[in-house]
Amino acid sequence: MKDFKNVWIFAEAQRGKLSPTAFELLTAGRKLADDLGEKLCAVLLGYQVERFAQDLFARGADVVYVCDDKALENYVDDIYAKTLAGMIEAYKPNKFLLPATNMGRSLSAKTAVFVGTGLTADATEVLINPADGQLHATRPTFGGNLMATITCAHTRPEMCSLRPMSYEKAALQAGRTGEVVKFPFDAAKYTSLAQFIKFIKSEGEGLDLSEAEVIVAGGRGVGKAEGFELLKKLADRLGGAVAASRAPVDSGWIDYRYQIGLTGRTVKPKLYIACGISGQIQHMAGMSGSDVIVAINKDGEAPMMKVANYAVQGDLYDVIPAMLEALK
């Protein structure tokens, strides 16, 4: 395994935009690379994506590997995974971090299969074991009730998909540069039986939770699916997004993509309003990085009320209408 060196991160870029998850991975990857005494490298796949290389250098990348081709303009599992596997075979990275986004989860799994290595999915923390240089990736398991640390002892690269918002974005270092390495796309080799038809954005998706500066979240105390319409009114008034704890999702009141916690999304808004959320540790893990937490709950002894910056003891169906009136 001595032939494998350097830490890679996958910089997701789609529809003309570089995902901010790349900068979070650069933070995590920088620590791994420094501990190993190796370079931190970023990988760009897509069409007209080489222009993002400087953004990655400015956030800490030493090398950016680029495969830029019209065939990669839209994401297709097999084509991307086979291309990425080809790059891994050519350059032999030691560790490889990918974002646990919709795209990253699929891409990391297929790529790991193609190169014959292990993958820790949806991790929240990564570090290097100083004793043997192995990657230790920690992720929630058993419904978020336990945290498991997973290693990959016998194959390389050690791969891990890292949950978005688990790390801060790497700081901008103006004027920093690095090396761009271009990898040729092989249309005959990197094929797929699937074909991209068109991209359709989900209707009513609203503001992406990962980008929202204000989040209004509901828990079991909301009591019914219709209650989230009231939360949405408050979120809309504040220019924010609606979210939920696990209980409303399990009850079918709101879609899973709005779930926050160990088994959902991790967020770090400026303002988090928790409505009828008791504050179990699994949920706290997904939103504890919020700048300001406001809790609304009938139970003044609920854990969320004790960690909140502002706690309002009362019925959310009385409190939220009063807030909406005050915000007119």
Side-chain angles (χ1 to χ4, degrees), residues 12-239:
E12 184 176 316
Q14 285 287 292
R15 291 176 288 282
K17 293 183 178 180
L18 179 64
S19 171
T21 58
F23 304 144
E24 298 166 19
L25 293 180
L26 285 171
T27 296
R30 181 78 272 165
K31 180 66 166 59
L32 302 184
D34 288 348
D35 287 347
L36 291 166
E38 297 179 352
K39 292 182 179 180
L40 175 59
C41 310
V43 180
L44 280 168
L45 299 185
Y47 181 55
Q48 297 180 339
V49 294
E50 187 177 341
R51 57 196 171 98
F52 297 127
Q54 187 52 52
D55 296 323
L56 298 169
F57 291 140
R59 301 277 183 165
D62 300 312
V63 180
V64 175
Y65 293 97
V66 180
C67 187
D68 197 315
D69 193 275
K70 180 69 175 175
L72 298 171
E73 183 174 10
N74 296 294
Y75 177 68
V76 177
D77 274 350
D78 282 349
I79 295 176
Y80 265 60
K82 288 176 181 177
T83 304
L84 196 51
M87 298 175 80
I88 290 172
E89 291 166 2
Y91 303 113
K92 293 182 170 54
N94 185 5
K95 323 292 183 191
F96 193 7
L97 306 180
L98 298 92
T101 56
N102 289 338
M103 174 179 166
R105 286 186 172 104
S106 174
L107 178 61
S108 58
K110 284 212 168 190
T111 302
V113 171
F114 287 147
V115 299
T117 192
L119 167 71
T120 302
D122 207 27
T124 56
E125 183 182 15
V126 289
L127 55 83
I128 297 298
N129 180 9
D132 55 17
Q134 285 190 20
L135 179 70
H136 282 201
T138 301
R139 69 177 306 278
T141 187
F142 291 106
N145 293 310
L146 291 175
M147 299 298 287
T149 298
I150 301 172
T151 63
C152 177
H154 305 297
T155 57
R156 295 293 183 273
E158 295 168 272
M159 292 181 61
C160 170
S161 63
L162 195 60
R163 183 178 296 193
M165 307 295 284
S166 295
Y167 286 81
E168 298 288 341
K169 295 181 180 67
L172 181 65
Q173 303 172 58
R176 193 177 184 281
T177 60
E179 177 188 5
V180 173
V181 178
K182 296 182 181 181
F183 183 80
F185 179 78
D186 188 338
K189 186 176 182 181
Y190 306 139
T191 60
S192 175
L193 294 176
Q195 181 181 0
F196 176 84
I197 303 299
K198 63 179 177 179
F199 172 76
I200 302 174
K201 188 173 183 178
S202 298
E203 292 184 9
E205 187 171 291
L207 186 63
D208 188 335
L209 285 176
S210 64
E211 300 175 357
E213 294 189 348
V214 176
I215 291 176
V216 180
R220 191 186 304 276
V222 173
K224 54 189 176 182
E226 293 77 13
F228 280 90
E229 292 301 318
L230 179 61
L231 271 60
K232 187 176 186 304
K233 288 181 181 179
L234 180 58
D236 290 345
R237 188 70 58 85
L238 295 171

Side-chain angles (χ1 to χ4, degrees), residues 270-282:
K270 291 182 178 179
L271 173 62
Y272 190 88
I273 303 177
C275 307
I277 298 176
S278 63
Q280 297 300 314
I281 189 170
Q282 292 90 342

